[in-house]
Amino acid sequence: MSLWPYVVLTLAAVVFVLARHLGDPWPKVLLPVGTAAAFVAGWHLTCEWLAYDLKQLDGTMRHIELFPTPYQTLVGMERPIVDGTLLRYAVASVYRVAVGFTIAALLAIPIGLLAGWHLRAFQAINPLIQALRPISPIAWIPLAVLWFGVKDSSAVFLIALASFFPIVTGTIAGVRSIPLVYVRSAQNFGLEGFELFRRVVLPAAMPQILISLRIALGIAWMVIVAAEMIAVDSGLGYLIMDARNASNYDRVVGAMIAIGLIGVGLDYGMRQLETFDEVRWGFPKESEAVRNWNIRVAIGGSVRLDK
Amino acid sequence: MSSKASVQPSPPHAASSAAATATKIVVRAVNKTFARKNDELVVLQDVNLDVAEGEFVCLLGPSGCGKSTLLNIIGGFDAPTTGTVEIDGEPVRGPNPRRVFVFQEYGIFPWASVWDNVALGLRDRPKDEQHRIVDHYIELVGLKGFERAYPAEISGGMKQRVAVARALAVSPDVIFMDEPLGALDSLTRLSMRAEILRIWQQERMTILFVTHDVDEALQLADRIVVMSPRPGRIAEIVPVEMSHPRDVGTAEYGDAKNRLYELLGVSHQF
Ligand SMILES: Nc1ncnc2c1ncn2[C@@H]1O[C@H](COP(=O)(O)OP(=O)(O)O)[C@@H](O)[C@H]1O
Ligand SMILES: [Mg+2]
């Protein structure tokens, strides 16, 4: 039994109490750190609780661990980190996602703009899109391997497939929900054809396109792991499969954590696009969320619901 | 029907006279019905209207009486079911940059800065000319210093100023305004009203202004087209003879107001 998880949990509790009394920006920094620390401590404790001693047939006792502790996970990752495999595999995964995602975006955005704008195009292709969309990209893996072999292109194809549908659906919805008054303004000032698309349709739909890109990237990052388990022999998904085959569960969990952290990084990168002047209007402001919270606190609504 | 002389090739119905103004807009026997599930909704019935060049005409009526529908038809955003609309003797076939709308919901683009919004109709002009015109109208509507701001960063009144500047920048012959001040608070509404009047007196374009506010119509219009609902029809066209600036305290103003309320069939004594 270790003591440190209890110390960390106590510290986290102190941080939570403290954050309520400190002004901005402290809560924004302290709260997530406290939550993460508490999560790691809880993880360790759970591992200890789940482990048990098994009496074997020959009468000796064997310690069974069902899940690697945080420390074991770190140790398990030492070799792939030091010898560069982790970095190489991470780059391979990100590269496949980047290529597949870019191909999907280049196809899906124009198709979405057209189908969102043009009623007949929408009627023609939307049912097909909606019928293909629910087919999990995982279901395409056998075909992908058949067509492209156990190669990068296989994974890229699966990523493009996984990203295409959220982007095209989001773009269509974005264009279809453009307020009539913008389109009328544009027509009134003589905008037509390509210029109408460049100056009005695309920018008006852009916030929703960005949201769909963000969702698509998240899905792509999930799918790459599955694709790499079967369709290629490198990447973070492959790392998991490889570690499992070697019964190295420390490394399985370590790879999972790496996938999570890189996913956060990718999502953060996508969100930076939302800060551009041309699209900021389409996203809720953080300052507004803070202000609304302060108002709710002021009337006692969200702090003490029991009152 | 008021016959006005024409300095241009005159439309067939406009008899020549000595007056210097031309008939700008001619609406003849316009009907508009919208198909519904089982029947159809008659929104406009036999609407006839002549608007002279440089005239400020208000369309006044309760909400739902077809004011927007009529304005959209005249502006070319919608077609009448039957009847004709001509501007400058030409049938209206669609929206046109010479005739600009100012919408209640502003219609300015949130993805573009104030400056870029005002420059929308000038995109084919040389850069220096764009700058001269845009800067002039931004100053005219009192938005100097906000050129780089985005619509989300300015108030409703300022947004509507951007829409007005965007419209003025193309030097239109006609401006259509569909309850342009409806979303503003009553004080901002008053000052914007005064500004629209000042700009109109300066530039003398034809203005067709939709409102359901009796005072607004009385303070702005040369003539008030009173509409009655279901189906939308012109109940009466009331000329306003008072000169600007109009004193809302006079008996003449009060009488005109009473008359309009009467035409609208609303009690207004409290
Ligand atoms: N595109 C449309 N389809 C069906 N009905 C419509 C349409 N546009 C307007 N209407 C109906 O026509 C009537 C008049 O509308 P509108 O011209 O907007 O009135 P106002 O501007 O005077 O308030 C309303 O009953 C409205 O519901
Ligand atoms: Mg209306």
Side-chain angles (χ1 to χ4, degrees), chain B residues 34-35 41 43 61-70 78 178-179 210:
Chain B
F34 286 112
L41 178 71
V43 173
S63 108
C65 72
K67 306 182 294 295
S68 296
T69 306
L70 179 57
D78 206 347
D178 192 351
E179 306 200 24
V210 165

Side-chain angles (χ1 to χ4, degrees), chain B residues 102-260:
Chain B
V102 175
F103 302 94
Q104 179 175 355
E105 324 88 301
Y106 316 125
I108 59 170
F109 300 147
W111 52 86
S113 67
V114 166
W115 200 94
D116 288 338
N117 264 292
V118 176
L120 177 65
L122 305 169
R123 58 197 181 283
D124 298 329
R125 312 266 187 98
K127 265 274 169 280
D128 55 335
E129 193 183 333
Q130 280 188 30
H131 273 277
R132 193 170 47 72
I133 299 174
V134 171
D135 291 344
H136 170 74
Y137 283 106
I138 283 183
E139 175 143 26
L140 184 77
V141 300
L143 284 177
K144 210 165 156 44
F146 291 93
E147 289 88 349
R148 300 260 62 93
Y150 280 77
E153 300 159 358
I154 59 179
S155 70
M158 291 161 84
K159 279 184 227 181
Q160 203 52 290
R161 284 163 205 265
V162 176
V164 170
R166 180 179 78 170
L168 293 173
V170 295
S171 313
D173 325 337
V174 184
I175 298 188
F176 301 107
M177 298 191 171
D178 192 351
E179 306 200 24
L181 312 182
L184 307 180
D185 68 86
S186 58
L187 292 177
T188 312
R189 196 151 66 214
L190 276 182
S191 63
M192 283 293 289
R193 204 180 282 168
E195 259 175 77
I196 287 172
L197 195 60
R198 172 175 64 83
I199 290 166
W200 172 70
Q201 287 171 326
Q202 217 170 312
E203 316 246 333
R204 286 291 165 178
M205 69 292 268
T206 310
I207 295 186
L208 227 60
F209 188 108
V210 165
T211 181
H212 58 242
D213 183 326
V214 169
D215 277 303
E216 189 158 86
L218 263 177
Q219 286 159 26
L220 292 173
D222 291 331
R223 284 189 303 150
I224 300 172
V225 177
V226 183
M227 295 183 64
S228 62
R230 275 174 293 276
R233 265 180 304 204
I234 294 183
E236 192 157 321
I237 299 180
V238 180
V240 185
E241 309 286 356
M242 293 174 282
S243 62
H244 294 286
R246 289 175 184 165
D247 185 347
V248 301
T250 61
E252 192 183 1
Y253 187 95
D255 289 347
K257 196 166 163 176
N258 284 338
R259 171 102 185 88
L260 289 172

